[in-house]
Amino acid sequence: DSKYPVTLERADFLLANDILRRGLLCLVGSTGDLSMDANGDEEWGEADPINGGAALRLLTEICRVGVASSASVSETTRHKFQLLLSSFQKALHHFHPQGELERLSYIHAVSSVVASCAMVASSSSSVAHVANTILSDTTLLHEWLSLHSRVSQPILKSTVLSSLSQVMEPTMWKDEIFLSKNTTRPSDNIVLQLYQDFSHANNERNSAELILASARSPFVEERLGAYNILRALVSRGVCVRLLLLYDDGSGNGTGFLDWLLNQDLECTIEGKKAKYQIVDTMLSQNSDLIGGLLPANALRQLEEWRRKGPHFVNAAQFEMATE
C-alpha cells in the first residue's frame, strides 16, 4: 500500500519474527510450537476451528508482501521468509476447507500468493527463484483452479475464474486491490503457463472450452467470472489468437468470436457492461494486430459496439455479421 509502505523495520517484523511465524503456523495445523519450528517431515494436523481461517488470511497477506519485497530485505530476513513461505506452502497442501467460507479463503490464499509470484518472476529480480517454487507447484495450482468440485456452486466457480483473471491481469483490478504505480504485469509466458494449468486442473479440457461454457452458464455470477478472465486474456495478442483458434469441431457457432458477437446471450445490465469491456479491451489493447485477426464484418460490428456503448444492439442479422 503506497500510504503505508513496507519499511525495513516492518519487513523484519512481518517476515523474520520467529514467534509470529510459529504462532500463525500452529493455528493452521503445524505440529511445532512457539519455541520450535515443526520438523519438515512431520504430518500436519487440523487447523484451529476458531482461529485457523483468520491465521490463514494473515499468513496470505504476509507471504504476499514478503514475495514482493524479498529483493530489498536483508539476507537474514530473506532466509527466514523463505522458511515461512515453505511452511505456508505445506499448510495450503494440508488445508482441507469445509464449507463455502473456508473454500473462499483457500482460493484467496493461493491466488494472492501466486499473483505476487507471477509479478516477481516476470521481473529481473534476483529472488525470482523463490516465486518459481510456487508457480511450479502443480498440486497447489490444480486445487485452486479445479472447477469439478464446484460444479453446483456458481459463486465458487466465479471466484476461481475471477481470481485467475486477477493473477493474469492485475491492472484490471486496480480499483479493488492495492497496486503500486510500477506494478509489473505477468509476462506472456507466465499467463500462457497459467492458461495451460487451468486445462490440466480440469481433466485436460481446453481452457477456452471451459471458459466459454461458464460464459454461457444460466447463473449470472458464473458468467461474470468468465467475462473477467476473458477480459484479462484479450488484453494480450497471444491470448486473442488462442481464443480465436478454438473450435470444438461441432460447427454450431460455439467459438469465441461467435459467442462475442451474439449479443442475445446476455440479458442483464452488469453482464452487458462486462461483455462490452471485453470488446473495448480487445480492440484498444491490440489495435496494431486486430485487423489481421478478425473478419472485416466482425471487426466493423465490434468497433460500432465499442463506439456506441454497452447497450448497443446491432440491427444486422447475426449470420451476416459473421460470414
Side-chain angles (χ1 to χ4, degrees):
D1 186 343
S2 58
K3 188 176 180 182
Y4 300 104
V6 179
T7 62
L8 288 178
E9 291 79 8
R10 285 178 180 161
D12 283 339
F13 173 75
L14 286 173
L15 310 181
N17 188 298
D18 292 335
I19 301 298
L20 177 64
R21 179 184 73 249
R22 291 166 183 162
L24 290 173
L25 289 172
C26 285
L27 289 173
V28 295
S30 170
T31 54
D33 55 38
L34 295 181
S35 63
M36 181 180 63
D37 290 301
N39 186 306
D41 298 326
E42 289 183 14
E43 288 293 323
W44 282 53
E46 295 293 326
D48 184 273
I50 297 175
N51 297 309
L56 183 72
R57 290 190 292 273
L58 183 51
L59 282 166
T60 299
E61 294 306 305
I62 292 174
C63 289
R64 183 180 64 80
V65 170
V67 171
S69 58
S70 288
S72 59
V73 298
S74 68
E75 187 64 35
T76 300
T77 298
R78 187 180 306 121
H79 173 74
K80 289 194 174 185
F81 170 65
Q82 289 176 3
L83 175 62
L84 170 61
L85 186 63
S86 175
S87 297
F88 181 60
Q89 201 172 351
K90 291 178 183 175
L92 290 173
H93 283 170
H94 292 86
F95 188 75
H96 304 293
Q98 303 295 321
E100 189 169 290
L101 287 178
E102 285 193 0
R103 288 187 175 92
L104 289 171
S105 293
Y106 178 83
I107 293 167
H108 171 69
V110 178
S111 63
S112 295
V113 175
V114 170
S116 295
C117 290
M119 287 187 278
V120 169
S122 299
S123 68
S124 57
S125 171
S126 59
V127 294
H129 67 282
V130 175
N132 287 326
T133 301
I134 299 293
L135 294 175
S136 60
D137 187 338
T138 56
T139 300
L140 209 58
L141 293 173
H142 290 188
E143 284 295 320
W144 163 39
L145 296 174
S146 174
L147 299 180
H148 290 295
S149 61
R150 307 174 177 107
V151 169
S152 61
Q153 298 171 299
I155 293 178
L156 284 175
K157 290 177 75 173
S158 177
T159 301
V160 171
L161 294 166
S162 293
S163 67
L164 182 55
S165 75
Q166 276 194 5
V167 176
M168 289 179 164
E169 195 54 54
T171 56
M172 255 177 56
W173 300 83
K174 59 187 177 185
D175 294 331
E176 284 103 26
I177 59 177
F178 295 116
L179 290 175
S180 63
K181 293 180 180 179
N182 58 348
T183 296
T184 302
R185 289 177 76 205
S187 67
D188 284 352
N189 285 339
I190 287 178
V191 170
L192 290 174
Q193 175 192 327
L194 290 168
Y195 186 80
Q196 292 300 321
D197 286 331
F198 186 54
S199 171
H200 298 328
N202 290 280
N203 293 340
E204 306 297 335
R205 284 181 66 188
N206 186 288
S207 294
E209 177 189 355
L210 289 162
I211 296 166
L212 289 174
S214 287
R216 294 185 174 93
S217 167
F219 302 103
V220 65
E221 299 90 351
E222 185 176 347
R223 294 201 304 275
L224 292 174
Y227 296 171
N228 283 332
I229 192 170
L230 285 168
R231 184 181 168 202
L233 289 169
V234 300
S235 67
R236 300 169 186 266
V238 64
C239 296
V240 172
R241 290 187 178 93
L242 280 177
L243 291 170
L244 292 173
L245 286 171
Y246 167 68
D247 182 2
D248 68 355
S250 67
N252 295 324
T254 55
F256 168 67
L257 188 57
D258 300 290
W259 168 82
L260 187 61
L261 289 169
N262 191 343
Q263 293 168 288
D264 293 334
L265 293 174
E266 183 53 66
C267 58
T268 66
I269 293 175
E270 60 267 46
K272 288 180 180 294
K273 288 180 179 178
K275 199 167 180 179
Y276 170 79
Q277 288 179 319
I278 296 171
V279 174
D280 182 52
T281 299
M282 183 171 72
L283 296 181
S284 62
Q285 296 294 321
N286 304 282
S287 56
D288 57 337
L289 56 86
I290 198 69
L293 297 177
L294 298 178
N297 286 344
L299 182 57
R300 280 196 297 271
Q301 181 177 336
L302 292 174
E303 287 176 337
E304 186 176 14
W305 187 357
R306 183 188 178 200
R307 286 194 304 272
K308 295 190 176 180
H311 303 292
F312 166 71
V313 177
N314 194 294
Q317 291 294 317
F318 176 65
E319 292 80 9
M320 294 180 62
T322 58
E323 67 182 2

